[in-house]
Amino acid sequence: QEDVRIALVVKALGIGFFEAAAKGAEEAAAELGNVEIIYTGPTDTTAEGQIEVINALIAQNVDAIAISANDTDALVPALKRAMQRGITVISWDSGVAAEGRQLHLNPSSNPLIGNMIIKLAADQLPDGGEVALLSATTTSTNQNTWIEEMNKVMGDYPGIEVVATVYGDDLADKSYREATGLMQSYPDLDAIIAPTSVGIVAAAQAVVDAGKVGQVNVTGLGLPSEMAGAIESGASKSFAIWNPIDLGYSATMLAYELSQNGVEAAPGAEIPMGRMGTLTLDENTEGAMADPFVYDASNIEEFKSIF
Amino acid sequence: MVSRLIPVREAILAGAILVLLALVASRFAGFVAPANLANVFNDTAPLIILALGQMVVILTRCIDLSVAANLALTGMTVAMINVAMPGLPIPVIIAVAIALGAVMGAINGLLVWKLSIPPIVVTLGTMTIFRGTIFLISDGKWVNAHEMSAAFTGFPRAAFLGLPVLSWAAIATILVFGVMMARTPLGRSIFAVGGNPHAAVYAGIDVGRTQFLAFVISGALAGLTGYLWVARYAVAYVDIAGGFELEVVAACVIGGISIAGGIGSVGGAVLGAIFLGVVKNALPVVDISPFWQLAISGSAILIAVAFNARAGKARGRIILKSTVAPT
Amino acid sequence: MSDSTLQARPETRHVPDRLNSRAFRTLRSWESLLLAVAIAIFIVNSFASPYFLNVWNLSDATFNFTEKAMIAFAMALLIISGEIDLSVASIIALASTAMGLAVQYGAGTPELVVIGLAVGLLCGAFNAVFVTIMGLPSIVVTIGTMSLFRGISYIILGDDAFRGYPASFAWFGQGYIYWVFTVEMLFFVIIALAFGVLLHKTNFGRAVYAIGNNPTGAMFSGIRVQKVKFILFLLTGLMSGAAAVFLTSRLGSTRPSIATGMELEVVTMVVLGGVNILGGSGSIPGVVIAAFVMGLVTFGLGLLNVPGIVMSIFIGLLLIGVIALPRLWTMAANRRRG
Amino acid sequence: MTESGSPVVSMDAITKTFPGVKALDQVRLDLYPGQVTALVGENGAGKSTTVKILTGIYRPDGGTIRIDGNPVDLTTPNDAAASGITAIHQETVLFDELSVAENVFIGHAPRTRLGLIDRAEMHRAAARLLDEIGAPFGTHTPLRELGIANKHLVAIARALSVDARVVIMDEPTAALSHKEIEELYELVETLKAQGKAILFISHKFDEIFRIADRYTVFRDGAFVADGEIADIDENALVKMMVGRAVDHIFPARRPTVAEEVLQVVGYDHPTEFADIGFRLHRGEILGFYGLVGAGRSEFMQSLFGITRPSKGVCKMNGKIRVIRSPADAVANGIVYVPEDRGKQGAIIGLPIFQNITLPSLGRTSRNGFLQLAEEFKLAREYSERLDLRAASLDQDVGNLSGGNQQKVVIAKWLATQPQVIILDEPTKGIDIGSKAAVHEFMAELAAQGLSVIMVSSEIPEVIGMSDRVIVMRDGRIAAELSGDDLRPETLVRHAAGISTPAPQEA
Ligand SMILES: Nc1ncnc2c1ncn2[C@@H]1O[C@H](COP(=O)(O)OP(=O)(O)OP(=O)(O)O)[C@@H](O)[C@H]1O
Ligand SMILES: Nc1ncnc2c1ncn2[C@@H]1O[C@H](COP(=O)(O)OP(=O)(O)OP(=O)(O)O)[C@@H](O)[C@H]1O
Ligand SMILES: [Mg+2]
Ligand SMILES: [Mg+2]
């Protein structure tokens, strides 16, 4: 019997987060038995790069594509063509507009994440204070959604003031410079929230270099392996992330269900995803996998070697 | 009459930088505090070092588009070496970085010298090859801060006489280049080769060899910067410094280095780099959307090149003048 | 042989029109070498992947080079004339942004196409003014406008995106003319023919070659050098505008980062096509074959799931190798001869 | 070869081949200490190639060079300098962006103990050298600010900055004024007195007979003869050079007064020339004489539309024509054969036929589309008319010899069927044999009704060919001469601006 080929398309190759997701996908493949995972993506985070990858996958007539998109809209035509050729398409992590995929797997629910990132900062600031946001690329959907959700719940954290939002473009040097700029412009800054794994590391480094450990707390979303140093130095007290291994695992399971077991991705559907339980789709055919998980000095050692 | 042309050009650029600083200071006084200016300089140090290397190449009528890829490949290599052998002393790491960068520069140089392939084609090709090689050796994986040794990441930020080593590296490069360009036969040959390659042959200067050396110098500096960059930002991945080569060329152009070769100065290149560095650091501070940065540096290039062309325009032969003067 | 006969009857000295036959010249040309490379890649690809020889796949594969090739044809003329335009990818960004902006004001497909082309033309004119009227080196000017044009897109769009293009607009980048023949392919062929005729069969094309070989001499021969160059920049801008129409239509949305880095791929395609980067020689058929070579390499490697960056190594090696090998070969031959 | 001892430098059986050209074939050349050896030969005889071999720029394909009897290998210019050979090359090979002192010393500047260039010492030494040759400018001056003659002085200083035993001068006087030439002669005397061997290359025979002690003649890359200047006269030397006796007679012309074709009134340029006005008739040859740098070329280029005059009117056949570009000029029947053949004339890289048809494409093409058959027809017609020597019409014009390139340029313009042809220094750097052919041809053109403007710095040519001569000085018309006024002394007086009337008897 032929292997089922599921392509896990990521924003860019080489990012630790996605490497971990690929591990999860392999785990799912092993569990399913007859699945071959094609882990691929462009090397820079562009939509055009992903389109070329998708075209190549269409040409190979893979069974399913599970993509973390660099652009909500630009990938739609290419993915539509994939679906026309009978390929199952789902998005995960960073979504595609509804007409370009069958379902979208959110790592967590956006409101939960939005709340989590501000809560992480506020928990360290009982008397209130100034916080700033360091976002990722200007073209990624999820960052903006989370910041939006965060703003919705700001009322729950009196005394916390968001003084600025800057963009590090998911580049280490730019994020670093933006973080440094923040500390200069706002000498009383208490925390930098970076809901991006590149930005949070760069911001932590900038805080260490500026000698502001203890004054400015860096928090947000990051990878334990990359943030271990920041936790150790005290630049970051805590941060959160969902488990990318689980995410890759779930995406693979969902893709398999849709492509092999004839599961229909309709609003309200409940789709099994192995050890992660089931995914319930909302009216936009989106579903949330799980709550984000907080990492701090107490558990970082355990996780830093995993992803 | 006496040619003070080049210093005038630099004075104007320096003036532009001062005006820029004054404008920023009027909105945010803290920007011109000495500590912050030192920060800006430190931040611009890699650009300064690379701009000096690029200057030498451009002076010999070539161009090196592979510097950023060279920087990234060297940076990744030394980072991986550091991970594999955390005990390796930093001087060895630096030597490896410079040597590796120089080897890549030499590849460019040899293709230009021995096969006379146009430099823009050579470095366009090696740019993609070097970048791709990073992916091959690293398998696309990042090298993160906690994997690097403390000595490795600590060196460029270690303070010495109040300035980080990174800044000192730029200052040292400026001084070495100041002496090299003005007072060594190599420096003067570089000007000669770019100014008039045909005549250089008659003066006993090997044009191809000089261009080769220029590429080696540029490569070595890219290698050095590769280590400093990776250590400073404490991360190495395939795409670091992506597109930085154009910023480096832009710094040279703004600094008055003629793309046609033979004209330019160390001071110009340094000021060009500092100009871009100030713009880049000032924008977030004065709360201009960072989205303006690209358009601003583009306009700066256009203004600079238009200005430099005007200043350097040939004045004709002025035959009539002699009729005015008593014969 | 000719020497003695010429000496014998000097009064009827006759200079033949051509020394070598057309077939001989064709055989020895760069284009033939490149065609051989293309065929070799095609054969290797069909063995390397079972999915390669499939009309639909081959048709899909054309998308990854048709837009670049449209610009490459204009760029080839520009480079032959001794200039270069590095701002083409940024022109795409600006033209696409302008189209996106127009969509917000309810523009329909015909208006969008006009706007895309017009912005391209304007950007080309902007470059041309700096280069031909102010006499500045084009490489520097276009490095500047490369930042400026895309910078304007960033100022307009920031981190936003324009979407909501009319459904009929999708025809350009996603439509099919007949069976597997895409709309883009049709335009690729038309534009290739147009530029081929312009360069090889018209007075204008001859002027382009003359300028590329010796701009002063061309000027002294009564050619309006600056006017020709101005037109070439306009054409390059226009083609970038056209590419913006197709790319935007294909993506269905506009972000300021669209087409980043495409200028270098276009220049690579032109140089691979045998156009001398220093000006003076090159041909459109060469660029057409180079477009297919690059398309085949990327597509073939894509089928093997080779990451894009590794493909670029092959392109880089191809670029240097195709130029270096003949030279190395001549050098070796000279050495052997003594 | 007896009394002067043994030669310092002796070249024997030297051969040098360029693709398609045997530039030197088994030549020999001996240079003796304290003597000036003149190397004479037609254009392309291989004189400059010999210089380049002696200075290590080219490597010979065969033969030996001996210095003091020992065979040497001069592979680089530095080897040559180390062997004590220095040269003033035919082209000025200097660096515009460097200072005068650096131009003099680049490649062998004095060093400090640290190995750095010793600037102070370099400027001191350069100042000494400049002083010696009477150069009127400082060592800090950037070269680009100097005129062509002063640049030549820098080249001479550079040659002298090497402590040489052999000094080579390849047409050193071509760009110099009368006074500077005199100073050069004195310099040569000094060098001779210091016991240096001097190789002197010149096309001017008066010069050769004035300063040379010995001669060597090359013809077509081969050695013909050498000996003592005292033993030979000018005619014999020319005969050896050309291989036949040449008595250059200018073609007889019968100028007829015909209708006016071109009238120029009040042409001005802000910096280069002022108040130029003249008339030109059908079938006339109008000479333009002046010292080098008088602004003739500048004016001609402005008439041809290259540079724009600030005022002035140009009338063709009585009608006012606005000429803003060469294209306008060609459209109005004015064409210009430039002085700088390689840069402004031929388009190297394009085949011969495309060079010829370039300005005539409007006629050979249909609706802007090329018609190759028509092009070849036109090109064939004119290349045959000019007796072009080439392998084929689709051969790159760059492969032709200089004289044949000049023919292509002339063919290009004749094919446009002009009314006025401007020839700027048509015989500059052309040897005696070809010169006569060019003169014949000019006369023929005029006889066919073409109006010719000939810019020339050679008095015999100007007097021999022109019906009328305009003398220019410092960008203005100094005189218009014809008939009996056309005498060498008058030309020189007007050109040099000597206001006292010439003595009637010399
Ligand atoms: N680099 C070269 N490549 C090809 N041919 C060359 C080259 N240099 C010289 N020649 C050819 O070699 C021959 C000798 O040239 P050379 O310059 O030595 O002549 P010359 O005696 O100095 O003439 P002139 O009086 O015009 O200066 C000519 O036919 C010339 O075309
Ligand atoms: N000082 C100078 N700087 C740069 N180029 C020069 C200079 N003098 C002359 N030239 C160039 O050298 C070439 C020949 O010089 P020449 O002195 O014959 O000038 P010219 O304009 O032809 O003189 P004339 O007007 O007397 O014919 C010309 O192309 C001229 O433009
Ligand atoms: Mg010569
Ligand atoms: Mg002249």
Side-chain angles (χ1 to χ4, degrees):
Chain A
Q1 175 202 356
E2 281 254 312
D3 272 357
V4 177
R5 285 170 302 147
I6 298 178
L8 194 71
V9 181
V10 299
K11 288 183 171 186
L13 292 174
I15 296 174
F17 180 85
F18 292 117
E19 304 276 333
K23 249 183 242 168
E26 291 294 351
E27 182 195 329
E31 199 176 309
L32 291 165
N34 61 336
V35 173
E36 180 197 338
I37 298 292
I38 300 172
Y39 171 67
T40 178
T43 31
D44 44 359
T45 51
T46 61
E48 286 113 273
Q50 282 190 320
I51 289 175
E52 291 194 3
V53 168
I54 292 167
N55 281 339
L57 292 170
I58 296 173
Q60 295 168 68
N61 200 19
V62 295
D63 295 283
I65 293 175
I67 186 166
S68 169
N70 282 323
D71 193 305
T72 349
D73 311 292
L75 298 177
V76 170
L79 290 174
K80 264 184 172 167
R81 190 165 50 225
M83 290 192 283
Q84 278 161 14
R85 307 263 164 94
I87 297 172
T88 297
V89 176
I90 67 165
S91 61
W92 54 280
D93 177 48
S94 181
V96 178
E99 66 268 30
R101 43 83 179 163
Q102 284 154 273
L103 67 78
H104 173 63
L105 170 68
N106 274 313
S108 177
S109 78
N110 291 328
L112 284 176
I113 297 168
N115 184 45
M116 176 66 81
I117 52 176
I118 188 71
K119 181 171 178 295
L120 286 172
D123 284 353
Q124 308 293 334
L125 299 170
D127 305 325
E130 294 183 357
V131 304
L133 280 163
L134 172 63
S135 183
T137 70
T138 56
T139 58
S140 62
T141 345
N142 44 10
Q143 306 286 326
N144 299 332
T145 319
W146 297 331
I147 292 169
E148 225 167 83
E149 292 292 344
M150 185 194 88
N151 287 330
K152 281 186 200 159
V153 298
M154 279 308 290
D156 305 345
Y157 302 94
I160 304 286
E161 186 198 351
V162 176
V163 291
T165 304
V166 295
Y167 297 88
D169 277 359
D170 255 353
L171 296 172
D173 58 316
K174 181 132 192 269
S175 306
Y176 178 95
R177 203 157 35 239
E178 294 291 347
T180 310
L182 280 175
M183 287 184 278
Q184 283 161 8
S185 318
Y186 306 98
D188 299 327
L189 195 68
D190 295 299
I192 295 175
I193 301 174
T196 143
S197 62
V198 180
I200 192 169
V201 178
Q205 191 66 55
V207 166
V208 173
D209 289 356
K212 290 208 165 183
V213 173
Q215 287 173 51
V216 180
N217 176 34
V218 176
T219 185
L221 305 175
L223 292 177
S225 61
E226 293 174 10
M227 284 297 287
I231 293 283
E232 200 178 310
S233 70
S236 173
K237 302 263 176 9
S238 60
F239 63 95
I241 194 76
W242 42 88
N243 192 325
I245 299 177
D246 292 346
L247 196 55
Y249 174 88
S250 307
T252 309
M253 282 299 182
L254 291 169
Y256 187 85
E257 288 295 321
L258 262 58
S259 113
Q260 301 302 308
N261 296 344
V263 173
E264 192 70 27
E270 297 199 356
I271 307 171
M273 38 186 194
R275 64 172 167 84
M276 293 303 291
T278 55
L279 182 77
T280 310
L281 296 180
D282 63 9
E283 67 281 8
N284 293 328
T285 56
E286 288 181 26
M289 183 182 77
D291 284 353
F293 186 83
V294 177
Y295 302 83
D296 55 24
S298 67
N299 60 6
I300 189 81
E301 280 306 313
E302 181 190 334
F303 282 97
K304 80 173 187 193
S305 52
I306 300 178
F307 68 96
Chain B
M1 186 69 213
V2 184
S3 171
R4 289 278 168 261
L5 202 74
I6 292 168
V8 162
R9 192 178 292 171
E10 285 159 11
I12 289 175
L13 188 51
I17 293 173
L18 289 179
V19 169
L20 196 63
L21 285 174
L23 281 176
V24 179
S26 70
R27 294 191 56 177
F28 181 77
F31 191 79
V32 291
N36 188 57
L37 289 182
N39 261 337
V40 172
F41 181 80
N42 194 47
D43 208 56
T44 315
L47 184 58
I48 293 175
I49 300 176
L50 292 183
L52 286 170
Q54 186 73 254
M55 173 191 78
V56 172
V57 175
I58 294 181
L59 280 176
T60 62
R61 296 199 173 179
C62 297
I63 192 163
D64 187 352
L65 295 179
S66 73
V67 277
N70 180 335
L71 177 162
L73 178 50
T74 316
M76 175 58 84
T77 310
V78 292
M80 290 172 72
I81 290 176
N82 180 249
V83 171
M85 291 179 278
L88 211 61
I90 296 306
V92 176
I93 293 271
I94 293 178
V96 168
I98 293 178
L100 195 65
V103 166
M104 282 186 262
I107 293 174
N108 288 329
L110 279 176
L111 287 168
V112 170
W113 180 17
K114 293 298 180 193
L115 295 183
S116 7
I117 306 177
I120 188 166
V121 175
V122 167
T123 56
L124 202 59
T126 52
M127 170 172 101
T128 59
I129 294 173
F130 295 162
R131 264 295 163 203
T133 309
I134 310 176
F135 185 87
L136 290 184
I137 62 169
S138 68
D139 210 14
K141 298 211 169 43
W142 292 33
V143 179
N144 289 303
H146 68 277
E147 298 171 77
M148 300 174 186
S149 73
F152 184 87
T153 55
F155 182 72
R157 59 193 100 235
F160 176 69
L161 294 181
L163 276 182
V165 167
L166 180 58
S167 295
W168 285 114
I171 292 171
T173 314
I174 295 170
L175 292 178
V176 168
F177 268 66
V179 173
M180 181 183 89
M181 297 312 289
R183 300 290 296 274
T184 67
L186 176 65
R188 301 322 287 171
S189 321
I190 285 170
F191 279 105
V193 162
N196 188 347
H198 177 68
V201 174
Y202 284 77
I205 299 168
D206 188 331
V207 175
R209 193 170 153 274
T210 309
Q211 290 175 330
F212 168 79
L213 289 175
F215 274 107
V216 172
I217 291 171
S218 161
L221 289 180
L224 172 68
T225 317
Y227 159 67
L228 294 172
W229 184 294
V230 163
R232 173 160 195 244
Y233 297 116
V235 63
Y237 54 94
V238 174
D239 260 352
I240 49 172
F244 202 61
E245 62 277 344
L246 289 175
E247 209 165 306
V248 173
V249 174
C252 288
V253 170
I254 292 175
I257 318 291
S258 163
I259 207 84
I263 306 175
S265 69
V266 172
V270 172
L271 287 171
I274 289 179
F275 179 86
L276 284 180
V278 169
V279 168
K280 209 189 231 180
N281 280 274
L283 287 180
V285 173
V286 296
D287 213 25
I288 293 180
S289 150
F291 299 123
W292 281 77
Q293 184 191 312
L294 208 54
I296 290 178
S297 57
S299 310
I301 295 175
L302 290 176
I303 293 169
V305 65
F307 176 79
N308 286 335
R310 180 140 310 180
K313 193 145 267 175
R315 282 146 300 164
R317 299 172 52 196
I318 319 186
I319 294 173
L320 280 176
K321 147 192 95 175
S322 50
T323 50
V324 181
T327 22
Chain C
M1 59 116 213
S2 55
D3 245 82
S4 56
T5 46
L6 286 181
Q7 229 98 69
R9 301 187 307 156
E11 71 280 6
T12 56
R13 173 185 303 279
H14 175 73
V15 182
D17 287 354
R18 295 190 190 276
L19 214 50
N20 298 315
S21 71
R22 166 166 295 214
F24 181 79
R25 278 177 292 134
T26 312
L27 208 65
R28 285 205 45 182
S29 67
W30 176 274
E31 288 79 6
S32 328
L33 171 72
L34 209 56
L35 194 62
V37 171
I39 293 170
I41 296 173
F42 194 89
I43 293 172
V44 169
N45 277 347
S46 24
F47 281 106
S49 170
Y51 309 107
F52 182 76
L53 288 176
N54 170 317
V55 280
W56 283 100
N57 288 346
L58 289 173
S59 162
D60 282 355
T62 59
F63 284 110
N64 71 29
F65 66 83
T66 39
E67 289 144 11
K68 286 167 208 157
M70 288 173 199
I71 307 177
F73 297 137
M75 182 79 87
L77 266 65
L78 196 58
I79 292 182
I80 291 172
S81 84
E83 301 291 342
I84 196 166
D85 185 350
L86 294 178
S87 71
V88 286
S90 299
I91 296 179
I92 293 183
L94 190 54
S96 184
T97 305
M99 288 190 281
L101 205 57
V103 167
Q104 314 307 308
Y105 292 97
T109 300
E111 290 92 334
L112 288 180
V113 174
V114 170
I115 288 171
L117 297 180
V119 170
L121 217 48
L122 271 177
C123 291
F126 189 84
N127 284 331
V129 166
F130 275 89
V131 176
T132 64
I133 297 181
M134 299 178 64
L136 303 175
S138 57
I139 185 162
V140 180
V141 167
T142 57
I143 283 178
T145 53
M146 175 178 173
S147 298
L148 181 61
F149 295 155
R150 196 180 288 281
I152 296 172
S153 292
Y154 269 106
I155 292 173
I156 294 173
L157 264 170
D159 56 340
D160 216 352
F162 285 132
R163 36 183 91 80
Y165 286 93
S168 59
F169 186 62
W171 181 76
F172 292 97
Q174 302 171 37
Y176 290 83
I177 291 289
Y178 169 72
W179 190 40
V180 295
F181 291 101
T182 61
V183 176
E184 287 205 0
M185 199 63 204
L186 174 75
F187 278 90
F188 169 83
V189 172
I190 293 174
I191 293 173
L193 285 175
F195 275 97
V197 169
L198 181 66
L199 179 61
H200 299 296
K201 300 282 177 213
T202 68
N203 294 350
F204 183 82
R206 179 65 59 73
V208 170
Y209 280 113
I211 291 170
N213 278 301
N214 181 353
T216 316
M219 196 251 285
F220 272 81
S221 300
I223 290 175
R224 297 179 193 273
V225 175
Q226 304 307 335
K227 186 174 137 196
V228 170
K229 285 188 177 173
F230 203 107
I231 293 173
L232 290 177
F233 275 102
L234 285 183
L235 280 177
T236 310
L238 185 69
M239 282 302 113
S240 308
V245 170
F246 287 105
L247 186 60
T248 309
S249 158
R250 191 152 68 87
L251 298 179
S253 74
T254 298
R255 289 188 191 274
S257 62
I258 188 171
T260 304
M262 198 193 268
E263 63 281 337
L264 295 183
E265 290 178 67
V266 170
V267 172
T268 304
M269 196 180 276
V270 172
V271 173
L272 193 59
V275 173
N276 183 349
I277 193 87
L278 307 174
S281 66
S283 78
I284 294 295
V287 178
V288 172
I289 304 172
F292 277 99
V293 166
M294 284 177 68
L296 285 170
V297 169
T298 4
F299 180 58
L301 293 173
L303 285 180
L304 304 175
N305 295 311
V306 172
I309 193 144
V310 181
M311 294 180 197
S312 70
I313 298 187
F314 282 87
I315 301 286
L317 286 174
L318 208 58
L319 181 66
I320 294 181
V322 178
I323 298 179
L325 282 180
R327 299 190 183 193
L328 279 174
W329 193 75
T330 349
M331 269 165 76
N334 284 345
R335 194 154 303 159
R336 234 180 296 122
R337 229 176 282 138
Chain D
M1 233 193 256
T2 42
E3 80 289 8
S4 45
S6 55
V8 201
V9 174
S10 148
M11 297 172 90
D12 192 25
I14 295 287
T15 301
K16 175 76 192 170
T17 322
F18 292 111
V21 198
K22 198 153 204 180
L24 291 177
D25 188 9
Q26 305 265 344
V27 301
R28 45 177 271 232
L29 174 69
D30 297 314
L31 303 178
Y32 296 88
Q35 296 207 14
V36 177
T37 305
L39 179 59
V40 294
E42 293 177 281
N43 294 115
K47 304 182 294 295
S48 296
T49 306
T50 308
V51 173
K52 288 173 190 170
I53 283 174
L54 275 177
T55 48
I57 290 159
Y58 292 161
R59 293 193 69 174
D61 302 330
T64 40
I65 302 171
R66 287 192 184 78
I67 293 183
D68 297 329
N70 308 313
V72 290
D73 212 4
L74 304 173
T75 25
T76 66
N78 294 332
D79 288 349
S83 310
I85 301 176
T86 185
I88 301 158
H89 289 280
Q90 191 170 5
E91 321 97 292
T92 44
V93 280
L94 297 168
F95 306 94
D96 271 349
E97 293 306 317
L98 302 185
S99 70
V100 166
E102 283 181 322
N103 267 291
V104 171
F105 279 107
I106 192 150
H108 55 269
R111 311 275 193 93
T112 63
R113 265 173 296 129
L114 293 173
L116 299 178
I117 294 172
D118 187 343
R119 287 225 188 144
E121 176 55 31
M122 182 172 79
H123 281 280
R124 262 197 304 278
R128 260 198 313 275
L129 285 167
L130 291 179
D131 208 40
E132 229 171 88
I133 57 174
F137 46 83
T139 58
H140 288 277
T141 320
L143 191 82
R144 83 181 104 79
E145 290 182 3
L146 298 183
I148 200 96
N150 283 342
K151 282 181 181 169
H152 226 93
L153 293 179
V154 175
I156 293 170
R158 176 171 172 78
L160 299 180
S161 69
V162 182
D163 183 27
R165 302 160 59 207
V166 179
V167 181
I168 301 170
M169 301 182 174
D170 195 351
E171 303 200 33
T173 57
L176 298 187
S177 72
H178 195 67
K179 176 168 159 284
E180 287 156 343
I181 290 175
E182 287 302 325
E183 276 171 0
L184 184 78
Y185 291 164
E186 279 170 33
L187 184 73
V188 170
E189 291 302 329
T190 322
L191 294 175
K192 254 170 84 167
Q194 290 168 358
K196 303 193 174 180
I198 295 164
L199 177 65
F200 193 88
I201 297 173
S202 176
H203 287 286
K204 301 181 190 165
F205 281 92
D206 53 340
E207 204 163 272
I208 290 166
F209 281 92
R210 171 158 170 189
I211 64 167
D213 304 298
R214 307 183 55 84
Y215 67 87
T216 299
V217 183
F218 285 1
R219 187 167 69 227
D220 290 338
F223 172 87
V224 175
D226 63 4
E228 306 254 346
I229 282 283
D231 304 339
I232 194 165
D233 67 7
E234 193 169 319
N235 284 336
L237 200 56
V238 168
K239 196 168 171 186
M240 281 194 273
M241 227 173 93
V242 188
R244 64 191 143 92
V246 174
D247 34 7
H248 189 173
I249 300 167
F250 288 98
R253 306 204 348 87
R254 286 184 293 107
T256 48
V257 182
E259 74 274 22
E260 179 182 302
V261 175
L262 172 73
Q263 186 189 357
V264 172
V265 185
Y267 255 54
D268 268 8
H269 184 280
T271 56
E272 311 301 332
F273 53 84
D275 201 22
I276 310 281
F278 62 90
R279 292 156 192 275
L280 180 66
H281 303 92
R282 178 172 305 281
E284 187 182 28
I285 297 182
L286 174 61
F288 265 75
Y289 177 72
L291 299 181
V292 168
R296 296 162 300 170
S297 298
E298 307 290 340
F299 164 70
M300 294 306 160
Q301 293 183 5
S302 154
L303 186 58
F304 186 57
I306 306 273
T307 49
R308 209 169 290 179
S310 54
K311 18 186 232 267
V313 178
C314 162
K315 279 191 196 170
M316 283 294 288
N317 304 315
K319 290 196 206 67
I320 292 185
R321 300 290 175 191
V322 181
I323 295 175
R324 291 222 184 78
S325 67
D328 290 344
V330 176
N332 284 303
I334 303 178
V335 300
Y336 174 70
V337 178
E339 191 175 351
D340 186 343
R341 228 166 288 150
K343 242 204 208 134
Q344 305 170 337
I347 296 188
I348 290 168
L350 287 193
I352 294 169
F353 80 94
Q354 295 189 7
N355 263 280
I356 295 178
T357 57
L358 196 56
S360 314
L361 282 179
R363 274 192 299 129
T364 60
S365 64
R366 194 193 297 152
N367 304 327
F369 288 91
L370 300 170
Q371 290 181 296
L372 283 188
E374 291 291 314
E375 283 190 49
F376 276 116
K377 196 169 137 228
L378 190 73
R380 215 179 304 128
E381 181 186 334
Y382 282 92
S383 54
E384 273 167 20
R385 201 170 139 195
L386 287 169
D387 193 25
L388 183 75
R389 321 227 160 158
S392 75
L393 287 179
D394 69 347
Q395 184 191 6
D396 181 352
V397 72
N399 292 339
L400 297 182
S401 71
N404 279 307
Q405 281 182 19
Q406 180 83 327
K407 286 182 186 168
V408 170
V409 177
I410 294 176
K412 164 173 97 175
W413 288 126
L414 293 183
T416 66
Q417 299 172 341
Q419 299 184 53
V420 176
I421 185 163
I422 306 169
L423 298 159
D424 196 347
E425 306 279 8
T427 60
K428 181 171 157 184
I430 283 187
D431 59 69
I432 289 183
S434 320
K435 235 177 193 169
V438 170
H439 290 152
E440 295 281 358
F441 188 70
M442 266 165 64
E444 207 175 295
L445 291 179
Q448 288 166 9
L450 202 65
S451 309
V452 179
I453 296 179
M454 179 190 69
V455 176
S456 172
S457 308
E458 281 186 47
I459 290 180
E461 179 174 80
V462 170
I463 293 179
M465 292 303 301
S466 316
D467 302 324
R468 209 153 37 98
V469 174
I470 288 176
V471 183
M472 278 184 72
R473 168 162 47 89
D474 291 340
R476 291 167 193 277
I477 292 187
E480 184 172 330
L481 310 167
S482 59
D484 289 343
D485 288 340
L486 271 183
R487 278 174 293 126
E489 332 56 274
T490 25
L491 286 179
V492 168
R493 257 190 322 114
H494 287 294
I498 303 163
S499 45
T500 51
Q504 281 307 308
E505 229 50 51

